Amino acid sequence: MEKKWWMGKVAYQIWPKSFADGNGDGIGDLEGIIGKLDYLKDLGIDIIWISPVYQSPLVDQGYDISDYYAINPVFGDLETMDRLIAEAKKRQMYVIMDLVVNHCSDEHPWFQEALKDPEGEYGKFFYIEEKKNGKLPCNWRSYFGGSVWEPIPGTNKYYLHSFHKKQPDLNWENPKMRQEIYKMMNWWLERGIAGFRIDAIINIKKKLPYKDYEPDRDDGLAFVGKMLDEAEGIGEFLEEMKHETFEKYDAFTVGEVFNDKPGAVEEFIGENGHFSSKFDFGPELCGKHGCWYKNETVTPEMYKEVIFDSQEKTGEIGFLSNIIENHDEPRGVSRFIPQEDLSEDAKKALACVYFFLRGIPFIFQGQEIGMENCHFPDIDAYDDISTLDDYRVCKEAGYSDEEAMEFAYCFSRDNARTPVQWSDEENAGFSTHKPWIMVNPNYKTINLKSQQQDETSVYHFYKKLISLYKDEAYHDTFTFGKCIPYAREQKNLIAYERKGEGVDLLILANFQKEPQKVTLPAKCEKVLLNNKDELRISEGEITLQGYQAVVIRM
Ligand code: TEU
Ligand code: CA
């Protein structure tokens, strides 16, 4: 396998609005990020993914772009972005930006032109159709609720949006549109970014001609994702994109790819795949069945099966990007640890398990201090459009306000979007101004400053994880070694070996409060990491305390 610069690197996702506020207006910004680069460097981060900071009405928090060539003044300007890229480089860190090209904002000039003249050049940048025999082209339901078709005022035409109605889908079948996108991507790559996280990319290929699917709710609509199962040929677009853009820059690309089709691993992230990596969404999708009230609580056994499943499917074909959370998900510690077991040890055990899987570990802002889901006082305190829709769906299904709020507490995207808890000072040290969204009230106990002073904190554990990962003696094994599940059938034990490059490592985590014994596959040479003070090892056997996690060299 050809070795690439990004292999073995550690990545960190910044969701700018809630990361750090540089100018005291209550909203995170680029200056705020620059101020934290030393912090990230010291943590051990190499690659920084910054969620969208482009010009945008922020209906979907920047995933609705109205100018790809400009920075939203809320976040800063191009000069600040250039400085951020340069300051990161000085510290041997790489910046990747979010590439949102399945759709743009309805306020983008292309769409504004399309509204004026749906038959004209820019009309062809979108999917615009008329009703036939009084019927819309298809019954697809958008990700954020309602039909994907929205009327164009003053005409008999409709445009398609897979997400919000303020996010019209770009027409990838149009080569002119595609060239505009590549031009923009190269413009950013020329500015010195190291690559892209590629948003919602699987949606760019539609199953055409349009057709209805079996309705999956009382609204008579079918989830738009259903169409993706049948849409063929996305590879042609992605190969073209690769040749026209990132290949020329040796860029790192990580796709938001929800795709389980046979051959998808090889196609997307194999040696000649479309992207460098793709997120492993196995854990994120675990126990989800279409709407909040149908979701199951994830047990350690369920979690174990999904991560091993992804590892087995991927093998050494390519590199997954491993996560426990992101800006679209609740906090990982609140989701993957049984609520009654949530503790610092359990947080460290979860960190240990996901971090050493084969692939590229991504840390989402605040994860390194063990930030948890947030209790919002009422539905109006939420901001996220998707949360508001899911809440409505629960209410319509007959759930009480209290029940719907409990679902929101478990699943809302805003759980991950509260400000990073830097200290126990006012506004958690995020801003001198009242933040745009509430701070999790637990910031007095969960914050970076206090954890920095405590060697046993979750934060220091993350630092240890990263420095072990990068330790020269093990780095190649963690990067290129095989990942082999160990004692998979042993309940509430999540264990695997990393083997290769002359080293054998064993990762063990006990996901229950009660101790459990594990038979070792070989003699223990050295304990490299342990989230507790003690460890009981005897001849060929180890006894793990509740939520104890260890990394051992065999
Ligand atoms: O997400 C795409 C996506 O399919 C989901 O994660 C989606 O956000 C979720 O099912 C809705 O609850 C990407 C971005 O990560 C997300 O923040 C954007 O809202 C979305 O694209 C649209 O750009
Ligand atoms: Ca600000």
Side-chain angles (χ1 to χ4, degrees):
M1 183 200 304
E2 193 194 337
K3 295 204 174 168
K4 296 281 196 180
W5 66 267
W6 46 264
M7 292 172 182
K9 296 280 189 272
V10 176
Y12 189 96
Q13 181 189 354
I14 291 180
W15 197 76
K17 221 177 160 182
S18 291
F19 184 64
D21 179 14
N23 66 350
D25 65 354
I27 304 173
D29 48 44
L30 295 179
E31 207 65 69
I33 299 175
I34 294 175
K36 299 292 183 193
L37 288 176
D38 285 332
Y39 163 72
L40 295 174
K41 181 70 195 175
D42 178 64
L43 180 61
I45 303 305
D46 306 298
I47 298 174
I48 304 169
W49 153 30
I50 303 180
S51 277
V53 287
Y54 310 91
Q55 184 65 271
S56 156
L58 298 182
V59 171
D60 187 20
Q61 303 296 12
Y63 286 92
D64 48 322
I65 298 171
S66 54
D67 185 352
Y68 289 97
Y69 294 91
I71 299 290
N72 190 329
V74 162
F75 297 125
D77 53 21
L78 272 177
E79 181 278 319
T80 325
M81 188 65 210
D82 287 343
R83 197 149 41 81
L84 168 53
I85 297 167
E87 289 295 323
K89 260 193 196 142
K90 260 193 219 163
R91 294 165 176 79
Q92 292 88 46
M93 292 195 286
Y94 305 84
V95 172
I96 67 171
M97 287 181 87
D98 220 301
L99 182 73
V100 189
V101 292
N102 172 67
H103 46 267
C104 58
S105 162
D106 65 338
E107 296 181 27
H108 193 288
W110 295 339
F111 192 70
Q112 289 299 313
E113 287 303 314
L115 290 181
K116 280 186 230 153
D117 180 12
E119 316 266 358
E121 183 183 350
Y122 289 101
K124 298 191 180 68
F125 273 40
F126 300 90
Y127 296 99
I128 296 178
E129 297 289 332
E130 288 174 17
K131 279 187 175 172
K132 282 199 187 91
N133 307 321
K135 221 183 134 289
L136 288 168
C138 61
N139 70 340
W140 305 345
R141 181 193 313 105
S142 74
Y143 285 92
F144 297 149
S147 166
V148 297
W149 296 103
E150 183 68 15
I152 300 183
T155 71
N156 57 352
K157 298 185 191 312
Y158 294 77
Y159 69 89
L160 181 145
H161 60 92
S162 297
F163 293 87
H164 194 265
K165 65 177 182 199
K166 283 183 71 65
Q167 295 169 299
D169 282 38
L170 289 162
N171 184 354
W172 277 78
E173 305 294 335
N174 178 353
K176 257 190 159 164
M177 193 295 294
R178 300 203 299 270
Q179 285 307 319
E180 283 294 332
I181 296 294
Y182 305 149
K183 192 174 99 191
M184 176 275 290
M185 291 170 68
N186 287 326
W187 187 84
W188 278 107
L189 288 162
E190 282 296 325
R191 283 196 111 81
I193 61 168
F196 293 104
R197 173 268 185 185
I198 303 171
D199 184 69
I201 194 66
I202 209 75
N203 297 280
I204 66 173
K205 187 75 193 186
K206 318 294 184 221
K207 168 73 183 157
L208 298 175
Y210 301 107
K211 64 168 190 186
D212 284 357
Y213 292 96
E214 187 68 37
D216 52 30
R217 281 188 204 164
D218 294 343
D219 59 8
L221 304 176
F223 175 49
V224 57
K226 179 85 191 140
M227 149 298 269
L228 298 177
D229 298 343
E230 291 185 13
E232 299 288 340
I234 191 174
E236 285 157 40
F237 295 154
L238 297 180
E239 279 308 284
E240 183 184 81
M241 177 192 271
K242 175 172 144 187
H243 297 313
E244 300 260 350
T245 66
F246 28 81
E247 197 172 59
K248 299 189 241 175
Y249 296 85
D250 196 19
F252 170 68
T253 50
V254 49
E256 189 192 24
V257 177
F258 288 91
N259 182 328
D260 229 9
K261 288 183 191 169
V265 174
E266 185 80 49
E267 178 187 345
F268 282 88
I269 60 171
E271 180 102 54
N272 294 307
H274 309 314
F275 302 135
S276 317
S277 179
K278 70 183 182 84
F279 288 107
D280 177 21
F281 286 118
E284 307 317 312
L285 294 173
C286 185
K288 282 196 186 157
H289 302 289
C291 43
W292 281 354
Y293 59 83
K294 290 187 187 159
N295 289 355
E296 293 165 78
T297 305
V298 182
T299 63
E301 286 297 295
M302 285 162 75
Y303 178 73
K304 169 165 83 181
E305 287 310 314
V306 291
I307 55 175
F308 287 163
D309 208 44
S310 302
Q311 288 290 319
E312 276 177 353
K313 264 191 206 139
T314 308
E316 286 88 65
I317 296 173
F319 291 87
L320 289 170
S321 285
N322 296 311
I323 57 168
I324 61 165
E325 65 200 37
N326 63 27
H327 66 293
D328 291 335
E329 298 295 331
R331 289 287 178 175
V333 295
S334 300
R335 180 127 191 272
F336 302 120
I337 298 167
Q339 218 163 338
E340 60 284 6
D341 289 4
L342 192 55
S343 65
E344 296 220 333
D345 282 336
K347 290 177 181 181
K348 293 172 191 169
L350 178 62
C352 191
V353 161
Y354 102 96
F355 199 88
F356 294 115
L357 292 170
R358 192 176 190 282
I360 298 162
F362 271 69
I363 297 170
F364 178 70
Q365 64 186 35
Q367 180 189 323
E368 73 275 26
I369 56 168
M371 279 180 66
E372 299 171 4
N373 280 2
C374 179
H375 277 288
F376 286 71
D378 50 60
I379 191 65
D380 297 333
Y382 286 101
D383 179 280
D384 171 35
I385 43 176
S386 162
T387 299
L388 302 180
D389 181 61
D390 286 318
Y391 172 86
R392 185 186 54 77
V393 171
C394 291
K395 292 297 289 284
E396 278 174 15
Y399 289 91
S400 70
D401 188 60
E402 209 181 308
E403 287 165 329
M405 283 299 288
E406 182 58 25
F407 288 129
Y409 170 65
C410 294
F411 303 115
S412 167
R413 306 200 295 182
D414 277 343
N415 281 305
R417 298 177 178 191
T418 62
V420 171
Q421 294 159 209
W422 297 103
S423 73
D424 64 358
E425 284 150 50
E426 206 180 356
N427 306 320
F430 159 76
S431 174
T432 51
H433 189 280
K434 186 173 182 283
W436 68 279
I437 194 169
M438 72 178 280
V439 173
N440 193 322
N442 67 16
Y443 75 97
K444 292 270 176 201
T445 47
I446 299 176
N447 65 71
L448 176 71
K449 200 166 163 204
S450 65
Q451 293 197 18
Q452 280 178 323
Q453 289 151 9
D454 173 7
E455 278 296 319
T456 69
S457 64
V458 173
Y459 163 75
H460 277 286
F461 191 75
Y462 266 91
K463 279 196 83 169
K464 285 176 206 153
L465 280 183
I466 299 173
S467 60
L468 174 60
Y469 187 81
K470 293 191 172 179
D471 187 322
E472 260 183 49
Y474 313 113
H475 194 216
D476 279 350
T477 306
F478 282 132
T479 309
F480 301 105
K482 285 191 163 84
C483 176
I484 308 162
Y486 181 71
R488 191 165 176 168
E489 38 326 298
Q490 189 166 331
K491 196 171 170 221
N492 293 344
L493 173 78
I494 308 187
Y496 55 89
E497 294 172 272
R498 295 301 313 272
K499 281 187 165 173
E501 317 288 329
V503 181
D504 283 1
L505 303 169
L506 178 66
I507 289 89
L508 295 173
N510 176 19
F511 266 72
Q512 61 183 22
K513 278 195 210 134
E514 301 71 33
Q516 70 171 310
K517 290 191 168 134
V518 187
T519 308
L520 292 171
K523 193 173 158 305
C524 164
E525 288 285 338
K526 195 176 174 193
V527 178
L528 303 175
L529 190 70
N530 181 1
N531 68 344
K532 301 250 196 198
D533 294 338
E534 291 170 69
L535 186 61
R536 283 195 275 154
I537 304 188
S538 62
E539 245 341 272
E541 192 179 74
I542 189 167
T543 306
L544 296 171
Q545 298 306 307
Y547 286 98
Q548 184 163 28
V550 291
V551 179
I552 295 172
R553 201 177 97 209
M554 308 304 292

